[in-house]
Amino acid sequence: MRKTFNFSAGPAVLPEVVLQAAADEMMNYKGSDMSVMEISHRSALFQSIIDETEADLREVMNIPDDYEVLFLQGGTSLQFSMIPMNFMRNRKADYILTGYWAKKAYNEAKQYGQINIAASSEDKNYSYIPDCSDLDISRESDYVYMCENNTIYGTKFKDCPNSKGKILVNDISSCFLSEPMNVSDYDMLFGGVQKNLAPAGLVIAIIRKPLISETVMQGTPTMMRYKTHSDKKSLYNTPPTYNIYIVGKVIKWIKSLGGLKKMKELNERKASILYDYLDNSTMFHGVAEKESRSLMNVTFRTESEELDAAFVKAATENNIISIKGHRAVGGMRASIYNAMPIEGVRYLVDFMREFEQSGGNYGK
Ligand SMILES: Cc1ncc(COP(=O)(O)O)c(C=O)c1O
């Protein structure tokens, strides 16, 4: 058992059993006398790792056969360019702005075409998810873009936006495998693995097959074409082999707990402990509007920046790690991804209660 509880937004806590299993296999993977890190990506041993990881991902997410699963590099941020370069035919797209990462994707896309803001919650510092049931989508739009869980603001879409028949692209980085989702409601799902799945350095993209085409924007580098990676089954060049191996282990851990339905149940239980406390506290307040709250990233603050800073300092001294909020929001943020045990959330809430009872003078 670890003594600290790590509430980092990513890279983030991974299941202890997965880390232990990886440690046990570190020097000798399946009798090969090699670490997974040392195995050729062209070997049969690695091929079975990537095949099994993809098969398990397809199983837990219930991914239909007409979707490709790609293991990519360049972080989630490279997708902000790859998406327009691969999908823009009319040089038009619609973006839903619900936070820092959606805005970054929007700013990147603006380099390639005319981008319409279909909906936005920027007016209230992204503290809510706007109504997306009747979006004002441009007629020639190539796709609609959204970010399902807004890591920095602690908000999440509860309903799939109505993209009115347009291609719907969804950044699921910070809610990846946190609950069941209907993959076919979307045309592309993508996310960095550094929150819920593995160490940083790998992005998984799930794309409806007919969208993967030779026809891309002129000048698109070979490495930035989805077709390159789908033709070579994610082995066009050397993929982040160790990350793929850890993703495989994390998915097996999710399966062992009972799959995504169970994961959602556990995540709801954890989040409600924290939100219930926030709703009854006189010192701490939730930042995101109630109907838009995320199960993964819980944002909160006190009445003053000084008290926030005192809380972060006292919490850190008491083994509560990375609880400071992002500078765009201030206050605190507890990222309670799949691998955060319920004991971690209880420990945090107990500490918040003690801090509140001390009137902010904890330990003084
Ligand atoms: C929702 C979301 N999208 C994109 C990113 C950017 O990811 P990367 O650093 O892998 O480019 C992040 C990072 O935290 C994120 O939370």
Side-chain angles (χ1 to χ4, degrees), residues 20 46 67 70 75 105 166 169 198 216 229 260 272 290 296 312:
Q20 191 55 58
F46 181 71
Y67 282 75
L70 302 177
K166 300 289 182 194
V169 176
V216 294
H229 300 282
L260 293 185
S272 70
K290 278 191 186 172
M296 297 284 98
V312 170

Side-chain angles (χ1 to χ4, degrees), residues 38 92 116 144 159 172 229 247 263 266 304 316 318 331 341:
E38 302 172 303
K92 289 201 172 119
N116 177 47
V144 176
D159 301 303
I172 55 166
H229 300 282
V247 170
M263 212 70 247
L266 296 170
S304 77
T316 310
N318 283 274

Side-chain angles (χ1 to χ4, degrees), residues 9 74-78 80 101 147 149 151 171 173-174 192 194-195 203:
T76 318
S77 300
L78 193 67
F80 300 168
W101 296 111
C147 175
N149 188 81
T151 325
D171 174 357
S173 294
S174 48
Q194 65 267 30
K195 294 152 198 311
V203 170

Side-chain angles (χ1 to χ4, degrees), residues 156-173:
K156 184 185 179 294
F157 281 80
K158 301 292 149 83
D159 301 303
C160 180
N162 178 0
S163 66
K164 300 187 171 167
K166 300 289 182 194
I167 291 167
L168 185 57
V169 176
N170 184 3
D171 174 357
I172 55 166
S173 294

Side-chain angles (χ1 to χ4, degrees), residues 31-80:
S32 64
D33 201 28
M34 290 179 283
S35 168
V36 170
M37 292 182 205
E38 302 172 303
I39 296 172
S40 165
H41 62 297
R42 305 281 174 211
S43 65
L45 212 46
F46 181 71
Q47 192 62 52
S48 68
I49 291 175
I50 192 168
D51 287 348
E52 209 169 314
T53 301
E54 178 178 337
D56 282 340
L57 182 69
R58 284 183 179 278
E59 185 189 325
V60 287
M61 284 186 81
N62 205 3
I63 301 174
D65 288 345
D66 61 331
Y67 282 75
E68 199 73 71
V69 172
L70 302 177
F71 297 96
L72 305 170
Q73 298 171 67
T76 318
S77 300
L78 193 67
Q79 295 307 306
F80 300 168

